[in-house]
Amino acid sequence: MTERTGGCACGAIKFRITAPFMGVGVCHCTDCQKATGGAPNYVALAPEASFEITQGEVKVYRSKGDSGKEVGRAFCPECGTPLWSKPAPFVAVKLGALDDNADLTPNLHLYTASAAPWHLMHEGIPAFPKMPPPLPQGE
């Protein structure tokens, strides 16, 4: 599926993604747990250039990420639905904000050192205490 759409619970915000996802992950960091109300954060990574807001205007909460760079967490100002975060050069779209997410499955876990003991860990996929190490240049 190349094009995907999504939005908030009340319908005020809608968005479109026009490129395949770069991956699907589960983040267990403390900030994501706060944003979800305790659970890990299931996200699909979309190239920033493929992401477009098609309706409405989000509110963005900005904070410093583990990298030291700013991360913006977008949500609907009407219903409060968490929608995506922007740790450039990609957009981490919440799987629950997608209109159709049935074909998506996680392929890694991040920040497992912060995971609550009751967080589900999927067997057989890579898990990292924080971020995975960067790939060497050229790969």
Side-chain angles (χ1 to χ4, degrees):
M1 183 180 300
T2 301
E3 183 170 302
R4 297 220 187 225
T5 57
C8 66
C10 73
I13 308 295
K14 295 190 184 301
F15 61 86
R16 174 175 50 226
I17 301 155
T18 57
F21 288 127
M22 300 157 51
V24 176
V26 184
C27 185
H28 301 268
C29 79
T30 304
D31 286 343
C32 282
Q33 290 181 55
K34 289 184 183 296
T36 64
N41 191 11
Y42 286 75
V43 296
L45 302 180
E48 199 166 23
S50 73
F51 182 85
E52 172 188 16
I53 299 171
T54 57
Q55 178 180 302
E57 191 170 323
V58 297
K59 182 93 173 162
V60 178
Y61 169 72
R62 299 180 195 291
S63 63
K64 188 184 287 188
D66 192 46
S67 67
K69 296 179 182 175
E70 183 179 271
V71 175
R73 296 175 184 275
F75 60 95
C76 175
E78 299 300 319
C79 67
T81 301
L83 298 165
W84 63 81
S85 57
K86 278 196 177 181
F90 54 83
V91 179
V93 180
K94 314 292 186 212
L95 294 190
L98 294 169
D99 292 334
D100 183 10
N101 63 21
D103 62 319
L104 301 174
T105 57
N107 51 23
L108 80 156
H109 284 269
L110 304 172
Y111 290 93
T112 58
S114 302
W118 45 266
H119 280 188
L120 171 67
M121 297 290 174
H122 301 85
E123 294 279 330
I125 65 172
F128 300 92
K130 289 196 171 204
M131 288 294 284
L135 291 174
Q137 294 297 323
E139 288 187 28

